Amino acid sequence: MVRRSRVMWGSWRIWKPRAVFWLGAIAVGLISVAFAKAADWAQHVFAATTSSGEWAFLLPLIITPLGFVLCAWLAMVVFPNSGGSGIPQAIAARHFHHDEDRSRLLSIKLAVGKIVLTVVGLMSGASIGREGPTVQVGASIMLLAARVGGMAQARGLILAGSAAGIAAAFNTPLAGVVFAIEEMSRSYQSRANGLVLTAVILSGLASLGLVGSYTYFGTSTVMMQTGKDWSLVLICGIGGGFLGAIFSAGALRASQRIRRWAHTVPLKRMLIVAAVCGLASAIIGVLSGGATFGTGYEQARAAVEGEPAPMLFFAEKLMTTFLAMLSGIPGGIFAPSLSVGAGFGSTVSSLLGSSIALGAILGMAGYFAGVVQAPMTAFVIILEMTGNHDGVIAIMAASMLGYLTSRMISPEPLYHGLSRVFIAQGIRARRASEAEHHESDTQAEPGARSGAGSNELTPK
């Protein structure tokens, strides 16, 4: 009986980490679907509110700045380190070796805050997406699974959670795997990528069980047919990469200057920045007829289906996404970036008299690769989102051109540049904690020695 119970206990010790890991991956898929539904609902609420009366179109001038300020305040006071995309936090957490340091960037509290504040931001008309936040949410869930299951592979599980989040958010399992290898880890590790693949499969199955199989932007069958189409590859790749590099480099430099300016009174000054960015976003949104509010999914899908976007939509959407990023509110740039790229490709196609749908797809590939500087992720994610296997070579070429153009202008990738801020904060927090412990230890030692001395002098 003793021997049998030992075998059973040994089996449970072996299977417990696996069971917890599987449950964590399934939870990422389920929560990602719920997050997507909540984000869609928030956008519908904002659209209905700002179109329900004669002067309702001016309501964003009030709602959007107030929403930005509320989200920025909650992100700084209640949910610190929840601001921005969430991908830089996941990248930074992989650099730390202590659970305490990782927990400052990835936790269930932060995951809840990230979801709630992203939904509030979309309800305020912010040009943000839910895909980047889903990465931080997925990494937080898998890091919790590591603690509950007693697993030591925290870095690999953060990678797995990030990949599962991207895969479930876009219903793009291959893109989740490629994103984890190319963008998150920048290397291939067979053991870690086994975790990534398993997490993507399980989260994908959970997502499929709720919403079924679908392509994010529908199905497209456009392909290269004329010389004009091939010129689209060059223009969308190089032009999209240039715009992506301007966005990326501008965001890194502007955020650095804002942090320096806000250093003395961080809360007050960051709320001022959020209010200004929110008001500017509202003005652009009103002038564009509401086209730049929200993720931009509808505009991007319309372009992929062949409906031309307004000529300057891509520039307006780029500006509102840039402002949302600078404001510090929680929210990602994946979906807005795809919208900018689709708008840019649509404009180029209209000027050349070529296929709008093809231009939109190539514009997404060039611009997205230029922003994130991850060409494999760019063409795989767009390939899976559009189901366009006929134009795979053109999409790959546009992604590569966008990446090369962006690298020449902005050598530092956006997410890794932003992650340095969180890494530096974590190092400072670790040093301050160690100094505090050292000081408390040195203060306790003299008292201990004096107590010992008094015992020795006490007569017996």
Side-chain angles (χ1 to χ4, degrees), residues 94-169:
R94 297 189 73 246
H95 285 78
F96 297 131
H97 301 286
H98 300 280
D99 286 338
E100 181 183 355
D101 298 331
R102 297 190 189 103
S103 297
R104 294 190 186 98
L105 301 175
L106 302 174
S107 68
I108 296 303
K109 177 185 175 180
L110 282 176
V112 171
K114 196 77 171 185
I115 293 172
V116 172
L117 295 184
T118 301
V119 170
V120 172
L122 288 170
M123 202 182 296
S124 306
S127 179
I128 54 176
R130 57 178 170 80
E131 295 78 19
T134 306
V135 169
Q136 189 174 12
V137 171
S140 297
I141 292 172
M142 295 309 293
L143 194 60
L144 174 65
R147 285 194 288 267
V148 173
M151 292 175 278
Q153 296 177 329
R155 297 178 76 246
L157 288 167
I158 292 172
L159 201 64
S162 302
I166 286 292

Side-chain angles (χ1 to χ4, degrees), residues 43-256:
Q43 292 186 90
H44 290 315
V45 169
F46 178 80
T49 303
T50 55
S51 61
S52 57
E54 184 178 355
W55 297 100
F57 73 96
L58 293 176
L59 283 177
L61 298 176
I62 300 172
I63 295 173
T64 305
L66 290 178
F68 272 52
V69 170
L70 175 62
C71 289
W73 183 81
L74 290 172
M76 294 185 70
V77 176
V78 183
F79 303 105
N81 293 322
S82 67
S85 165
I87 296 175
Q89 289 93 319
I91 292 174
R94 297 189 73 246
H95 285 78
F96 297 131
H97 301 286
H98 300 280
D99 286 338
E100 181 183 355
D101 298 331
R102 297 190 189 103
S103 297
R104 294 190 186 98
L105 301 175
L106 302 174
S107 68
I108 296 303
K109 177 185 175 180
L110 282 176
V112 171
K114 196 77 171 185
I115 293 172
V116 172
L117 295 184
T118 301
V119 170
V120 172
L122 288 170
M123 202 182 296
S124 306
S127 179
I128 54 176
R130 57 178 170 80
E131 295 78 19
T134 306
V135 169
Q136 189 174 12
V137 171
S140 297
I141 292 172
M142 295 309 293
L143 194 60
L144 174 65
R147 285 194 288 267
V148 173
M151 292 175 278
Q153 296 177 329
R155 297 178 76 246
L157 288 167
I158 292 172
L159 201 64
S162 302
I166 286 292
F170 281 121
N171 190 32
T172 52
L174 286 177
V177 175
V178 174
F179 171 79
I181 297 171
E182 184 180 35
E183 180 63 16
M184 291 293 297
S185 69
R186 299 263 162 173
S187 63
Y188 183 88
Q189 299 168 323
S190 58
R191 191 172 183 182
N193 287 305
L195 294 174
V196 168
L197 189 59
T198 304
V200 166
I201 291 171
L202 293 174
S203 67
L205 288 173
S207 176
L208 287 173
L210 291 178
V211 296
S213 180
Y214 67 97
T215 49
Y216 194 79
F217 288 124
T219 303
S220 173
T221 57
V222 291
M223 56 187 298
M224 315 299 293
Q225 293 179 340
T226 66
K228 287 183 179 179
D229 294 339
W230 284 107
S231 66
L232 273 178
V233 176
L234 290 174
I235 298 173
C236 290
I238 297 173
F242 175 78
L243 290 174
I246 296 300
F247 179 92
S248 178
L252 289 173
R253 293 176 185 176
S255 60
Q256 186 179 33

